[in-house]
Amino acid sequence: MEHIRCLIIGSGPAGYTAAIYASRANLSPVLYEGIQPGGQLTITDAIENFPGHPEDISGPELMDLMRQQVEKFDVTIRQNICVRTDLSQRPYHFWFDDDSEVTADAVIIATGASAKFLGLDDEKKYMGQGVSACATCDGFFYRKRTVAVVGGGDTACGEALYLAGIAAKVYLIVRKPYLRATKIMQDRVMNNEKIEVLFETNTLGLYGENGVEGAHLVHRKGEADERKYDLPIDGFFLAIGHTPNSAIFKPWIETDETGFIVTKEGTPKTNLPGIFAAGDVADPTYRQAVVAAGSGCKAAMEAEKYLLTL
């Protein structure tokens, strides 16, 4: 059984930044990259809002640069996936998909969150070519163009309003005959002249030669007056929520009702001593690379302070 002083589970901006800071603090961290090395940014086509990159940089390129920086330090990087945990006592116990087991004194959870998709094959086909799950990340590329947002909650309304400040036209595709968002968000959407809400509408697919050129839609699916039609658009934004990758840490780690890890206000500390959460797995609000990187820094600094007490 291998014992690790500082274990980091997950990569992406949070995991990689935590590894850099932990190594600089002589914690000899071991980082497991997990099922998607580099995190969600590896499916982002272009990034223009990460500091230090005045020219657009692709998500995969940015994450490769971060990984290269990690490799300069005393960090052991492994590609295995954590499949089971026992956090009932210290040192904490972890199992991986290659049948290996480790224990750890300090743990930084940076497993991220996964955007929810409709389950259409076209979503994968056009990912990074017109399909996005982050308006804040990719909205700028649709300046004065026509886009669609899928969803009816506060997140979808917020994305639609954000895009309305950039795009020429925004369609909000809502499966139900009403919006689930709070009243103030509903009012803002309904009163925005750039936004058109398509109630009782489902997406059947997407089309386009070199990227998204439109969506195949159906109005009142399964009803007597069902109508199928094509809607020309340049971008298709999913805003039906994110699923935090926190399942393997339950029932020991406190989470909110949707699974995001709860941290003590202003810190990466969880309800268990020596376990810290960084990045999107503990962030239902911002979900930005620069925020995740900052939280990874905080987690490593807190891990260093915790280890000094042992």
Side-chain angles (χ1 to χ4, degrees):
M1 177 89 61
E2 179 184 9
H3 182 71
I4 295 170
R5 194 174 180 212
C6 180
L7 172 66
I8 302 171
I9 303 176
S11 45
Y16 287 149
T17 303
I20 291 169
Y21 275 79
S23 176
R24 285 169 52 85
N26 294 319
L27 305 186
S28 299
V30 176
L31 182 148
Y32 284 85
E33 290 186 303
I35 195 168
Q36 189 177 13
Q40 293 185 73
L41 285 187
T42 58
I43 59 171
T44 300
D45 185 40
I47 299 168
E48 62 164 18
N49 57 1
F50 197 88
H53 296 278
E55 302 295 331
D56 293 351
I57 184 170
S58 73
E61 184 181 3
L62 178 61
M63 298 322 301
D64 184 58
L65 288 172
M66 284 194 190
R67 194 181 195 279
Q68 289 180 40
Q69 189 169 357
V70 170
E71 290 171 343
K72 290 173 53 180
F73 296 93
D74 178 25
V75 180
T76 300
I77 302 176
R78 297 171 181 169
Q79 284 73 50
N80 306 100
I81 301 167
C82 186
V83 294
R84 185 160 66 96
T85 66
D86 181 356
L87 311 180
S88 60
Q89 60 183 355
R90 292 178 281 178
Y92 301 114
H93 198 161
F94 302 85
W95 289 262
F96 294 86
D97 61 348
D98 63 346
D99 296 325
S100 63
E101 302 176 37
V102 305
T103 56
D105 292 322
V107 182
I108 297 173
I109 300 171
T111 47
S114 302
K116 293 180 181 178
F117 290 86
L118 297 173
L120 305 173
D121 289 339
D122 289 337
E123 289 171 313
K124 296 178 182 178
K125 176 181 178 181
Y126 293 106
M127 180 56 65
Q129 300 181 69
V131 171
S132 172
C134 181
T136 309
C137 306
D138 301 324
F140 180 80
F141 302 106
Y142 298 90
R143 194 172 189 83
K144 297 183 180 180
R145 302 175 77 181
T146 300
V147 299
V149 177
V150 179
D154 278 341
T155 299
C157 288
E159 300 274 85
L161 289 164
Y162 175 81
L163 289 166
I166 300 170
K169 174 76 174 182
V170 180
Y171 292 100
L172 185 59
I173 302 172
V174 183
R175 181 170 54 89
K176 297 182 180 294
Y178 56 85
L179 292 172
R180 294 180 292 102
T182 54
K183 185 64 166 60
I184 190 169
M185 292 298 282
Q186 292 186 42
D187 290 343
R188 288 173 181 171
V189 165
M190 300 306 291
N191 292 326
N192 191 303
E193 60 182 15
K194 282 190 176 182
I195 300 175
E196 181 178 343
V197 183
L198 306 178
F199 289 111
E200 297 185 88
T201 301
N202 287 273
T203 305
L204 299 176
L206 303 168
Y207 63 89
E209 290 297 322
N210 298 307
V212 171
E213 295 177 6
H216 302 299
L217 304 180
V218 56
H219 180 245
R220 290 180 56 80
K221 183 178 180 180
E223 302 297 328
D225 58 347
E226 174 184 296
R227 180 174 68 91
K228 294 180 180 179
Y229 64 100
D230 288 346
L231 180 71
I233 55 173
D234 302 298
F236 186 78
F237 290 83
L238 292 146
I240 53 178
H242 283 71
T243 302
N245 302 319
S246 62
I248 60 171
F249 306 108
K250 297 177 181 179
W252 301 279
I253 297 291
E254 181 184 354
T255 64
D256 66 13
E257 64 277 4
T258 54
F260 287 95
I261 293 176
V262 175
T263 56
K264 296 180 181 179
E265 188 173 357
T267 78
K269 296 178 181 178
T270 69
N271 60 299
L272 292 182
I275 297 187
F276 310 93
D280 287 9
V281 72
D283 182 5
T285 305
Y286 299 104
R287 299 193 306 274
Q288 296 297 300
V290 68
V291 177
S295 69
C297 163
K298 292 195 292 184
M301 294 177 73
E302 290 293 344
E304 179 188 9
K305 286 193 284 185
Y306 169 76
L307 289 169
L308 288 173
T309 68
L310 299 182

